[in-house]
Amino acid sequence: MLIGKRNNRRPTHYRSLITHYLAFMKLDILAIGSHPDDVELGCSGLLISEIKKGKTAGIIDLTQGELGTRGTIETRYQEAADAAKVMGISVRENLKMRDGFFRNDEEHQRQLIQVIRKYQPEIVIGNILEDRHPDHGRAGWLIYDACFFSGLRQIKTLGDDGEEQEKWRPKMLLHYIQDRFYEPDIIYDISDVWEQRMEAVKAYSTQFLPSGSADPQTYISSPEFMEALSARARLLGKRIGVKYAEGFISKKNIGIRSLDSLVLVET
Ligand SMILES: [Zn+2]
């Protein structure tokens, strides 16, 4: 475990999740976020729901969130590990890109291609393509580009074992809606897992729960932020006739194989 070694270039496996074989497992879903907590806020309901149905899911945090106003890198690692446990995530890695200053360039794309090829996910879920926080949109496009380039065999990368990796392109890339609202391409019913989803979000106690700490209040630590989170989920749920939902956009059309996937509720 490498908690606190800020200049170490190797990715960090979060404390409670590290096992030998998990580091090399193939995943059904890989969720990626620019900051630890992006994934929880954006798509933890979908992840919890899919894991309950037997899918495997991992999380990649691009940065350690070191520019965050509240908490520390160390508390953030612990919170991320706690949240992953609540969701049932198989593996969580932090790529230690620089919060605020990572770029969508070759170096960062290669870093991401390396983990995409390592876990070979069928589906990637990443940041939205434009948002209030500039990191979110930049991460969204970085993830978009890395998913595509990862499928090109002429781009060579090495795995953790030093062996050349095989090309891998995820079949589907979805972007979770974050601060700004975008008209979703799909709306996913998360009513059954709402409590668990909020438990995962609240694992980030230094970020979201007003406490007696000396840290200043921020945009996301106020009670209104939590209310807005739940209001957003209710709004999306109402659109499809359920209580709570998460919205996703996709650059590609989404095909279905069965009408059983549709939420059939009178609205
Ligand atoms: Zn963020």
Side-chain angles (χ1 to χ4, degrees), residues 104-106 109-110 113 116-117 141-157 167-170:
N104 180 11
D105 58 12
E106 182 181 345
Q109 286 165 9
R110 280 185 178 277
I113 289 168
I116 292 168
R117 288 176 174 176
W141 284 110
L142 171 60
I143 296 161
Y144 184 94
D145 291 349
C147 283
F148 184 84
F149 291 141
S150 178
L152 301 181
R153 61 188 285 271
Q154 296 298 353
I155 297 177
K156 310 285 186 199
T157 52
K167 71 178 177 73
W168 183 267
R169 184 171 296 149

Side-chain angles (χ1 to χ4, degrees), residues 8-221:
N8 190 313
R9 296 293 293 166
R10 287 175 61 78
T12 292
H13 289 79
Y14 287 74
R15 190 198 309 263
S16 57
L17 298 167
I18 187 161
T19 65
H20 180 70
Y21 81 96
L22 283 179
F24 302 98
M25 75 187 293
K26 175 179 158 47
L27 296 169
D28 296 313
I29 305 170
L30 188 63
I32 306 173
S34 52
H35 313 114
D37 79 18
D38 283 0
V39 164
E40 282 77 2
L41 290 168
C43 64
S44 49
L46 177 150
L47 293 177
I48 293 163
S49 187
E50 290 296 323
I51 290 166
K52 276 187 195 295
K53 290 171 189 132
K55 295 276 198 302
T56 53
I59 296 177
I60 301 297
D61 300 310
L62 299 183
T63 76
Q64 301 174 105
E66 63 269 25
L67 296 185
T69 306
R70 295 164 64 90
T72 63
I73 289 181
E74 286 71 24
T75 57
R76 203 73 85 91
Y77 271 118
Q78 188 55 54
E79 291 166 351
D82 292 346
K85 213 169 169 184
V86 170
M87 292 184 278
I89 295 298
S90 302
V91 64
R92 185 166 198 157
E93 280 192 38
N94 193 301
L95 298 188
K96 297 181 180 174
M97 293 180 183
R98 284 181 67 211
D99 193 4
F101 299 103
F102 67 87
R103 290 283 160 255
N104 180 11
D105 58 12
E106 182 181 345
E107 181 198 338
H108 294 87
Q109 286 165 9
R110 280 185 178 277
Q111 240 187 305
L112 204 45
I113 289 168
Q114 202 263 344
V115 288
I116 292 168
R117 288 176 174 176
K118 175 172 160 183
Y119 292 115
Q120 304 186 340
E122 300 299 324
I123 299 169
V124 167
I125 309 180
N127 291 92
I128 194 78
L129 298 168
E130 204 269 320
D131 205 27
R132 168 181 175 268
H133 196 310
D135 280 0
H136 294 167
R138 203 171 340 98
W141 284 110
L142 171 60
I143 296 161
Y144 184 94
D145 291 349
C147 283
F148 184 84
F149 291 141
S150 178
L152 301 181
R153 61 188 285 271
Q154 296 298 353
I155 297 177
K156 310 285 186 199
T157 52
L158 300 179
D160 294 341
D161 55 2
E163 296 289 313
E164 193 175 302
Q165 292 180 302
E166 284 180 35
K167 71 178 177 73
W168 183 267
R169 184 171 296 149
K171 318 296 182 295
M172 179 62 68
L173 169 58
L174 299 174
H175 302 274
Y176 43 82
I177 298 171
Q178 300 192 254
D179 191 68
R180 289 184 187 152
F181 188 75
Y182 290 90
E183 197 54 45
D185 294 310
I186 56 170
I187 299 180
Y188 191 106
D189 178 10
I190 57 162
S191 310
D192 286 352
V193 297
W194 176 251
E195 300 298 327
Q196 215 177 324
R197 177 196 142 91
M198 289 313 283
E199 207 185 311
V201 170
K202 286 174 183 165
Y204 291 88
S205 54
T206 61
Q207 304 302 306
F208 301 121
L209 302 181
S211 65
S213 84
D215 287 344
Q217 278 285 347
T218 64
Y219 182 71
I220 59 171
S221 72

